[in-house]
Amino acid sequence: MAINVAIATPKRKPQLFDKYLPHLSIAAIYAILLLGAVLVFFPFAWTISTSLKTEQQTLEYPPTWLPDPVQWENYPDALTARPFGRYYVNTTIITVLSVVGQVVSSAVVAYGFARFRFPGRGVLFLIVLSTLMIPFHILIIPRFILFKYLGWLDTFLPLIVPNFFGGAFSIFLLRQYFLTIPLDLDEAAKMDGASSFQIFLRIILPLARPALGAVAVFEFMSTWNDFFGPLIYLSSDRNYTISIGLAAFRNDYFTAWHLYMAAAAVALLVPLVVFFLAQKYFISGVALTGSGGSKG
């Protein structure tokens, strides 16, 4: 007859540190996040502070945070020193059309890769993804020569038209999201007599709003802040974008940091508003880049 003997181990008395450990961990996380927020907000706060100073105050050392007196007239002075209203209109036209072209074209191509079965689909998709590995600088000269022969230099076309042919990253992101949508919805719609275009328009696109919003936000931020593209293709002051206008303003008023910061603060206004209004799409886009369907 076997006898089981249980050896009792003495219980460790709970310590005071164990009670407060979860709270300390949460406090440490919030402290790190607060420090990161301060570091991110610091350049913007310095921009606002400098934009309200006099030219003499911007050159003082050690620098002061609070301007005395506050120079609100720096903003109208900066915006009238160069035609920033025109720059805003140009940037808005380029950005809106680029976003529309990128979203529509990428969604169509991604739908084809996600839903249609055709020979060489996988190879063709790999070729599309491989374009992400091509450095942008390699394409500068061929594109410039092409647009020169087309007569598009010093126009908005080189900055808008390529977006209507889709982008590899946007196609990949949307394709991965389309793969997560059940095929049963397509089959049910086909039984009701819906065509592929109707399925795409009435089923896929409404269900893919988070991914479409993410692509739109990414493209908006990229186009609005683009400096290199307008610098290459635009040469007339009337066609300048915000980024080129700020660079030209900096060359004209080399020591007027207060006016330059005022113009920069106004240029930041639209991206900040768009980001705060569409931040859920931006965050979902970041999450989508690391997840998605795995069906081939």
Side-chain angles (χ1 to χ4, degrees):
M1 181 177 180
I3 300 176
N4 296 327
V5 179
I7 301 177
T9 57
K11 295 182 178 180
R12 185 175 67 89
K13 294 182 179 180
Q15 298 180 1
L16 185 63
F17 182 75
D18 297 338
K19 179 180 179 180
Y20 294 101
L21 181 60
H23 301 285
L24 292 175
S25 301
I26 295 175
I29 293 174
Y30 277 105
I32 295 173
L33 293 176
L34 180 60
L35 178 61
V38 170
L39 293 177
V40 171
F41 185 72
F42 177 81
F44 180 72
W46 182 254
T47 299
I48 300 299
S49 174
T50 306
S51 68
L52 297 174
K53 295 179 180 179
T54 63
E55 184 174 357
Q56 183 179 359
Q57 288 176 337
T58 60
L59 303 176
E60 290 180 352
Y61 185 83
T64 57
W65 274 94
L66 299 178
D68 185 24
V70 177
Q71 301 291 318
W72 293 107
E73 58 271 16
N74 289 345
Y75 284 87
D77 291 345
L79 297 180
T80 54
R82 292 190 70 90
F84 278 98
R86 180 71 179 181
Y87 300 159
Y88 254 94
V89 173
N90 295 341
T91 308
T92 302
I93 294 174
I94 295 173
T95 302
V96 171
L97 293 179
S98 296
V99 169
V100 172
Q102 186 71 223
V103 172
V104 172
S105 58
S106 298
V108 172
V109 177
Y111 177 66
F113 280 124
R115 285 299 194 258
F116 293 98
R117 300 292 185 268
F118 53 88
R121 185 188 62 154
V123 176
L124 186 59
F125 184 66
L126 288 178
I127 294 175
V128 172
L129 290 183
S130 65
T131 60
L132 290 172
M133 303 176 62
I134 302 176
F136 172 76
H137 304 83
I138 296 179
L139 304 176
I140 294 175
I141 296 178
R143 282 188 173 185
F144 186 87
I145 296 175
L146 173 63
F147 295 142
K148 179 181 178 181
Y149 281 119
L150 292 175
W152 289 2
L153 295 183
D154 200 24
T155 67
F156 299 158
L157 294 177
L159 304 173
I160 297 174
V161 173
N163 291 291
F164 280 83
F165 293 90
F169 175 76
S170 300
I171 292 172
F172 169 75
L173 191 150
L174 291 175
R175 182 240 185 202
Q176 295 302 103
Y177 194 90
F178 290 165
L179 289 175
T180 63
I181 300 176
L183 288 172
D184 297 340
L185 299 177
D186 297 37
E187 296 173 357
K190 289 179 180 179
M191 293 180 63
D192 292 337
S195 63
S196 298
F197 180 75
Q198 290 174 330
I199 294 173
F200 171 68
L201 194 63
R202 299 181 180 181
I203 297 178
I204 301 299
L205 291 185
L207 293 176
R209 287 178 182 175
L212 296 173
V215 171
V217 172
F218 284 140
E219 183 62 26
F220 177 88
M221 292 296 180
S222 175
T223 305
W224 186 275
N225 298 321
D226 186 21
F227 177 80
F228 199 64
L231 179 64
I232 295 174
Y233 301 119
L234 303 180
S235 56
S236 300
D237 185 73
R238 68 179 186 278
N239 292 330
Y240 280 176
T241 60
I242 285 290
S243 57
I244 302 299
L246 286 175
F249 182 91
R250 183 73 184 90
N251 293 331
D252 294 341
Y253 302 92
F254 187 73
T255 60
W257 283 104
H258 56 308
L259 299 180
Y260 180 75
M261 290 300 181
V266 175
L268 284 172
L269 183 61
V270 173
L272 285 176
V273 172
V274 171
F275 177 78
F276 282 113
L277 292 178
Q279 58 180 324
K280 64 177 182 179
Y281 295 112
F282 184 83
I283 295 173
S284 65
V286 174
L288 286 172
T289 57
S291 62
S294 58
K295 301 176 184 179

